[in-house]
Amino acid sequence: MATRKRPSWEKYWGLVVVFSRFSALFMLLGTYKSFGVLMDSYIYDLDTSAAEAGTATVLFFAFVYFTAPIFGVLADMMGSNGARILIMLGGIVSTIAMCLSSYSTTWYQLAAYLSLAGVGYGMVQVPTVAPLLMYFDDKFGLANSISAAGGAVGMIVLPPLTERMIDNYGWRGASIILGVASLHTTVAGALMRPPSSFKEKRSYQRIYGNDDAPQDGTPYESLTKVKRFAKLMQEQLSIDVFRKRPRFVVYQFIFLLAGVQFAGWHLFLVPNALSQDIALFDAAFLASIGGIGNIIGRAFNGPLLDHNIFSDAMLFLLIHLVCALSLLFDPLATDYPIMALLAFWAGLTIGASYAVTIVIAKNLAEEEKYIMAAVGWTHFFMGFGAVIGGPLVGATFDITGYYHVGFLLMGGFEILITVSTFIELMQRRYTQDLRARYLLM
């Protein structure tokens, strides 16, 4: 991305871009966390099981992450306004889908609508990074941290509001309100205008073979353009990173396991409290407490990495070890203060884990051309894990009648993440020692 000197006022418009991304992520994670408040309503009103309701809601998160590599590439290929267009379209799609979900009469109808809403928000999550890069090339880390905090704030604010909406309008009314609120994402996208001085990479030139806008041609010419587009997509997705970076493959398995825990905790934190006769408002407030921890977790890891106190992998290992303890202690949470402490604890580690995950993905890419693809594929595999986590925790409740069993299972997955990361670290150090000895010979 090349830039020319820009007018002074555009520095201030960069602040608008930061706030726009903040508000978009506020709605994305806030809505997902609110599904935990809606979960019991889905189960009882749709006469379905916790596993089926968990499957329906986790598909929202899964499709946000499944589509991350594709929409990230499209945003880049469509030019400087590509991200803006995708974000605006995503806001419209998610609004329509969330409103339609209020008419669901079966869990699979709910699953279809929430999957569509996930696709809509998938158009938002990764493309919102592009405008930040345009305005904050030198201070991207700070701009990213501030704007990404919108997701954690959404986790604090929206679940208690959703509880109040259910009290006043029922879960169907609450779904419509959440859907209409999602339209703010379209406004946020409209505000993410590129700098007038930004010189874009016009990837479509590689498809059409010249600097002109696309023109109608013969069927043979159209087929050639399709082949060029497919080849460009393959290059942009950087599928060869799996072949050239063996450690990248190992960590995708680890990130998949992290997705299991991420989805299970977010969706069933509130239902777990409700199953222990905690009032709905107090149970929903646990999500807010977890959101506060999430903000702190996202903030503290940066200095630890910047000052080389821990390596990215070692910090990731320690975070998931602490997260495992918070989940394994869940059966001991017999009163509200202990539940609140564990919610804060888990929220803190999950926030820290996500931030460090992005750093690891970036470092595993090694080359700049692989960075966006590495981040996209990391989201993809976390989404794959989420598809496992939601139904798994819900199924354990259907079988045993207790959410504690599901939380213990998630704690087990966290232990597996810790052990896998430790083995990878030891293997890498062993390999480095062998190379050092070989060079000394």
Side-chain angles (χ1 to χ4, degrees):
M1 295 182 181
T3 57
R4 300 189 298 270
K5 186 176 181 180
R6 64 176 67 127
S8 59
W9 66 268
E10 286 191 342
K11 293 187 294 185
Y12 302 103
W13 194 262
L15 299 178
V16 176
V17 171
V18 169
F19 176 76
S20 297
R21 184 170 188 250
F22 181 99
S23 61
L25 296 183
F26 174 97
M27 286 305 307
L28 169 57
L29 278 181
T31 299
Y32 182 66
K33 192 65 176 176
S34 296
F35 290 143
V37 183
L38 292 163
M39 184 67 68
D40 272 22
S41 298
Y42 292 153
I43 293 172
Y44 295 117
D45 196 56
L46 300 180
D47 191 24
T48 189
S49 66
E52 291 169 339
T55 301
T57 49
V58 83
L59 285 174
F60 171 90
F61 174 81
F63 273 93
V64 171
Y65 276 29
F66 282 161
T67 56
I70 297 173
F71 289 129
V73 168
L74 285 177
D76 182 61
M77 292 175 60
M78 291 168 64
S80 59
N81 272 304
R84 190 184 188 190
I85 293 169
L86 285 175
I87 296 165
M88 293 171 66
L89 180 60
I92 295 172
V93 171
S94 59
T95 294
I96 294 173
M98 285 297 298
C99 291
L100 287 175
S101 72
S102 67
Y103 294 96
S104 300
T105 56
T106 60
W107 76 269
Y108 48 85
Q109 286 181 343
L110 179 68
Y113 293 136
L114 295 187
S115 296
L116 180 60
V119 173
Y121 272 114
M123 298 180 189
V124 173
Q125 187 181 50
V126 174
T128 55
V129 175
L132 285 185
L133 289 169
M134 296 177 192
Y135 281 93
F136 298 96
D137 192 23
D138 297 328
K139 297 182 179 179
F140 175 75
L142 177 61
N144 181 61
S145 297
I146 295 172
S147 59
V153 175
M155 290 170 57
I156 296 171
V157 175
L158 281 187
L161 289 179
T162 301
E163 183 273 331
R164 291 303 185 193
M165 289 188 285
I166 293 173
D167 283 347
N168 288 285
Y169 309 110
W171 75 266
R172 298 179 187 277
S175 297
I176 292 175
I177 295 172
L178 286 173
V180 173
S182 297
L183 201 57
H184 286 81
T185 305
T186 298
V187 178
L191 291 173
M192 291 184 177
R193 60 181 300 277
S196 58
S197 58
F198 184 78
K199 186 178 180 180
E200 63 184 77
K201 296 184 299 182
R202 298 169 68 185
S203 296
Y204 74 80
Q205 292 175 9
R206 294 174 57 189
I207 301 173
Y208 296 97
N210 54 59
D211 292 336
D212 299 326
Q215 302 292 330
D216 291 333
T218 65
Y220 176 78
E221 290 174 334
S222 299
L223 180 61
T224 301
K225 294 170 184 176
V226 170
K227 289 180 178 179
R228 288 175 181 168
F229 177 79
K231 182 179 180 181
L232 181 58
M233 281 290 292
Q234 182 177 357
E235 292 176 2
Q236 293 284 342
L237 286 171
S238 300
I239 297 175
D240 58 336
V241 72
F242 291 92
R243 177 176 55 85
K244 294 182 177 181
R245 304 286 184 270
R247 288 184 61 227
F248 183 78
V249 177
V250 173
Y251 271 97
Q252 295 316 300
F253 169 73
I254 295 173
F255 295 152
L256 184 150
L257 296 177
V260 174
Q261 176 267 345
F262 186 95
W265 182 80
H266 277 84
L267 287 178
F268 292 101
L269 173 67
V270 175
N272 181 33
L274 292 175
S275 70
Q276 299 179 63
D277 298 324
I278 301 296
L280 179 57
F281 178 80
D282 292 333
F285 192 68
L286 289 176
S288 299
I289 295 172
I292 295 171
N294 196 279
I295 292 177
I296 297 173
R298 289 171 185 253
F300 88 82
N301 70 86
L304 294 178
L305 294 174
D306 291 343
H307 293 86
N308 296 318
I309 298 174
F310 294 104
S311 68
D312 53 5
M314 179 58 70
L315 183 57
F316 184 82
L317 184 154
L318 294 174
I319 287 169
H320 282 275
L321 178 60
V322 174
C323 186
L325 296 175
S326 72
L327 296 169
L328 294 174
F329 285 164
D330 182 75
L332 303 178
T334 56
D335 53 27
Y336 191 78
I338 298 177
M339 292 180 187
L341 176 62
L342 293 181
F344 176 84
W345 189 349
L348 186 147
T349 54
I350 289 171
S353 171
Y354 180 76
V356 176
T357 294
I358 301 304
V359 175
I360 292 176
K362 175 180 176 294
N363 292 338
L364 288 172
E366 297 183 16
E367 299 178 45
E368 184 177 355
K369 67 178 181 178
Y370 288 134
I371 290 177
M372 287 304 294
V375 172
W377 284 115
T378 294
H379 283 87
F380 177 88
F381 280 95
M382 287 183 66
F384 205 84
V387 175
I388 300 171
L392 178 64
V393 178
T396 58
F397 176 78
D398 293 334
I399 295 170
T400 66
Y402 298 98
Y403 284 111
H404 293 316
V405 179
F407 275 67
L408 289 174
L409 273 176
M410 288 191 291
F413 276 105
E414 289 296 292
I415 294 294
L416 184 56
I417 291 172
T418 303
V419 172
S420 299
T421 307
F422 178 78
I423 292 173
E424 194 282 328
L425 269 173
M426 293 300 100
Q427 190 275 335
R428 179 154 44 108
R429 289 183 180 180
Y430 177 73
T431 302
Q432 291 171 347
D433 288 343
L434 284 180
R435 289 177 180 174
R437 292 174 187 175
Y438 177 78
L439 292 174
L440 291 174
M441 291 176 62

